[in-house]
Amino acid sequence: MWKRGFFAIEYKGKHKDLDAAYNQLKQYQNSLENPPLLIVCDMTRLIVYTHFTGKPTTQTLIVLEESAIGGETLQAAIFEQLRDIFFHPERFEPQETIEAITERAASKLGGLALTMGKRYEPEAVARFLDRIVFCLFAEDIDLLPATVFSRLLESNRYNVPRCCKLIGDLFGVMAVGGDFGEHSIRRFNGNLFNEELRFELTESELNAVIEAAKLDWKNVDPSIFGTLFERGLDPNKRSQLGAHYTSRADIETLIEPVIMAPLRREWDAVRSLAGAQPVAPKIAPESKGAAGEDANLGATGCAPTNSELIRQFLARLAAVRVLDPACGSGNFLYIALQKLKDLEKSVLTFARDRDLGEWAPTVSPLQLFGLELNAYAFDLAQTTVWIGYLQWLRANGYLFTEDPVLRKTDNFRNADAILDLSGELPREAQWPEADFIVGNPPFLGGSRLWEELGRDYQQKLWGVYQNRVPGGADLCCYWFEKTRGQIADGQVQRAGLIATQSIRGGVNREVLKRIKQSGDIFFAVSDRDWILNGANVHISIVAFDNGSETSRVLDGQPVAAINADLSSATDVTQARKLAKNSGICFIGAKKAGKFEFREKEARPLLYMPNPHGKPNSDVLRPWVNAAALTQGREDHWIIDAGAMQEDDFALYEHLYFRVEALIKPERMKNNEERARRLWWQHRRPSEDMQTAVNALPRYIATPRHSKHRVFVWLTPEILSDDGIYVFARDDDYFFGVVHSRLHEVWARAQGTQLRERESGFRYTPTSCFETFPFPARSDEQHAAISAAAKNLDTLRRNWLNPPEWTREEILEFPGSVSGPWSRYVEDADERGLGTVRYPRRVPKDAILAMNFVKRTLTNLYNERPAWLDNAHKKLDAAVFAAYDWPASLSDDEILARFLELNHERATP
């Protein structure tokens, strides 16, 4: 009996096996449109199983005989349940979701990872906890007999050492199979139990396991294994491995277009053809052709029968190979297997319903391939996949009798996925052939490669992928390029990878450009929120092939094309560098050490004498980073020896001593030879930048990363660090153009969103500035932009440092005309030494100083008061007029015009 959207009931005779009836019914549920209630009945009792999406399966027993012989109250309750089956199935729906159950289970055992991790090696703890989880899961689906594990825990809860010993004994038996007390244990193996692993738990830890055992583990999502793996790793190693949990929603978003869409198209074609032909007689087993025969011909050399069409497609599904080259704990592969099994079941159901043949499901974990560097995650991935497989069989009514339960395969490799260092020379790692590649490569910024992986590894990686992946690209870019190569070589059909949103811009974007040169991007999610360690990270999802896919979908919408920056409108990635913009924008100095300190510590050092008679101000100056520009931190100064030799710097006695004490010990541990050899210098002094700005009375600075794209004026004695981009221009006109909406639209299209929303987006000179075409303005337009820019800066400075709250302070100290303070030196003697008189605005008193805490550019632009908005609108209007463009242009129209202008001016 079936009622659409309500239930399906399988009736059997009295005292029949209702478990078998339920398994039979589950095999038909797809054909019955997956009703929320699956019910079995032997004429005396009904068992109602719930099948609500995202909710655990529960069962309710209704004894029909009690409706006749029970009391009035009991009869009323039973009839109410029967009415609900027919009219209100939602009243049977469980309140808790599978996701909530899984999170609760993970939280109960995740605490153990923290406490045990203080006494034992974290990876071993994670491995132990996953054994615990597997035992709880196995007994809830009857792979372990008679709740043997839970009863072991309960009966020994007051004898913790004995309980721990028995847990270890059970693990040992599960590895090989055999007797455990009165119970016969199946052989599990599969790497999870193949080594002895024993821990001494505390009483509270054992109680936590006992409490966890009370949960409904048969409904727990296998992703819990990855969650526990992460929690079992210490934070430093977790960062180094790039280990992170990817949600089911994100994984399905990737797997559907990459793997399932083409397979479903194939199945639709087969189903249409088989449905249009008359039903063929059943073929005797001896007359069936081999699985590898021509898909267009039957066993007799004629057109295939309906049954052969089905068999051939089932063989196709059973031959699909899926590779995750950074498989972690196996979640991508586990969900891919579930999707393949669901499609296989649809095919089997179609064939059975039309009397085209009966086949057993054959899609299995043996079709999945994984590469993983971490030894524990490598083992865990296989376990996760097998648990998901067992869970699917049980949920869909198929029995599992194979031994061992978990089979070890050679499909998973414990190896570096991008670099093979096994030979004399480093080389590109080899990947197994596959139809599809999916995964989530490690999130590790290019600037952190050498810190996390070592300078030697970084240099070898750069050498192997030279001219393919730019130096400084994020680590995940190597997976993108390697996957692109697999597709170009014909070893893979389609692929999809997840990356941080920075894949869209800067040097990272070059790997997407290469993908479009040898194939194309057919599916992408350009910007998606993703929670990682409590931070709101932005990711991109990218699917690509050799260009054969004809449809394109971007952010859920069909588009004509997807550009390398994951946009579909103007392809700004085609912009070229403009010669006029070269030599203007520089990156600030990278110090690589604690060279900076607060001004109150610096001021006494300005007056300390040196053996050679030169002042410390030659190498001591104010310093700013991006936070200082936007958040107004306390003033800092920095020791900057420039390109001095050690002997020369040593003459600045007190500053040399400070650097020697604080910087040298750390530099000697550095992997970079230059950092050790020139320990007193900044890692990158940016001498070209300093030379350019020292010739100017002021220069423009903007943060590399910021929520709001702001530009500020700085004077040359202030050293900007490498979190700031410096423009060697001192005119209001230039300041106005780059601070206009027009430049921001271009920069945002060329830059990238950062991982955290509040951090804003990344500005990159090569793409954001060096490709930007300035207007061909008249003198009047030049003057209008300059005036609007100056007005904006004046209003903003008055808000940041109100004249009513400040006074001018003249800071006096020894200086030389050859140092960074030359413009402020007065009364210089024949040696070029004199007194620096450095004017600046400071709070009038300590009480007024407190008012400046919230007077920052970030807060100002967060609030964006009317006066600020009006000043920007006037500036924007002046810049639009200089381009002779209407101010009503949309962002897409602005980008299209800029790209056209860029191509007109670019040097071939």
Side-chain angles (χ1 to χ4, degrees), residues 793-812:
D793 178 60
T794 300
L795 293 174
R796 210 167 57 181
R797 281 190 292 105
N798 286 342
W799 185 88
L800 292 170
N801 295 287
E804 298 84 354
W805 295 355
T806 60
R807 61 181 176 82
E808 184 178 74
E809 176 188 72
I810 305 296
L811 188 61
E812 296 188 355

Side-chain angles (χ1 to χ4, degrees), residues 96 99-109 215-216 224:
E96 194 169 28
E99 182 180 4
I101 293 173
T102 301
E103 177 54 38
R104 192 147 51 91
S107 65
K108 284 185 178 295
L109 293 181
L215 297 175
D216 182 11
I224 186 176

Side-chain angles (χ1 to χ4, degrees), residues 547-558:
S548 59
E549 175 62 66
T550 57
S551 66
R552 304 284 182 273
V553 176
L554 175 63
D555 297 329
Q557 300 297 320

Side-chain angles (χ1 to χ4, degrees), residues 70-91:
E72 185 176 333
T73 301
L74 179 59
Q75 291 177 11
I78 290 174
F79 278 113
E80 184 66 27
Q81 286 179 310
L82 294 176
R83 276 193 292 270
D84 288 343
I85 290 172
F86 279 83
F87 300 106
H88 298 287
E90 71 279 359
R91 291 178 180 172

Side-chain angles (χ1 to χ4, degrees), residues 578 581 733-734 737-738 769 772-776 883 898 901 905:
L578 304 177
N581 291 18
Y733 164 77
F734 185 94
V737 173
V738 295
F769 175 72
F772 178 73
F774 278 73
Y883 283 101
F898 269 138
L901 197 56
R905 297 184 184 177

Side-chain angles (χ1 to χ4, degrees), residues 323 325 371 413 417 429-433 437 479 482-483 486 491:
L323 167 65
L371 296 170
R413 297 212 309 259
Q430 297 301 304
W431 289 1
E433 289 189 18
I437 288 178
W479 270 263
K482 175 69 177 172
T483 302
Q486 296 286 100
Q491 298 182 46

Side-chain angles (χ1 to χ4, degrees), residues 247-322:
S247 72
R248 172 180 284 270
D250 289 328
I251 295 173
E252 289 182 341
T253 298
L254 184 64
I255 286 175
E256 281 294 333
V258 173
I259 301 175
M260 302 313 300
L263 292 177
R264 288 199 179 96
R265 285 200 296 261
E266 291 181 39
W267 169 232
D268 288 343
V270 171
R271 181 172 52 186
S272 176
L273 186 58
Q277 296 181 10
V279 175
K282 291 186 177 179
I283 303 172
E286 61 270 16
S287 68
K288 290 185 179 180
E293 69 186 30
D294 190 326
N296 296 314
L297 296 176
T300 62
C302 302
T305 63
N306 294 354
S307 181
E308 287 176 322
L309 286 171
I310 299 298
R311 179 182 55 76
Q312 290 165 3
F313 185 72
L314 288 171
R316 156 76 167 131
L317 287 182
V320 166
R321 295 159 63 99
V322 181

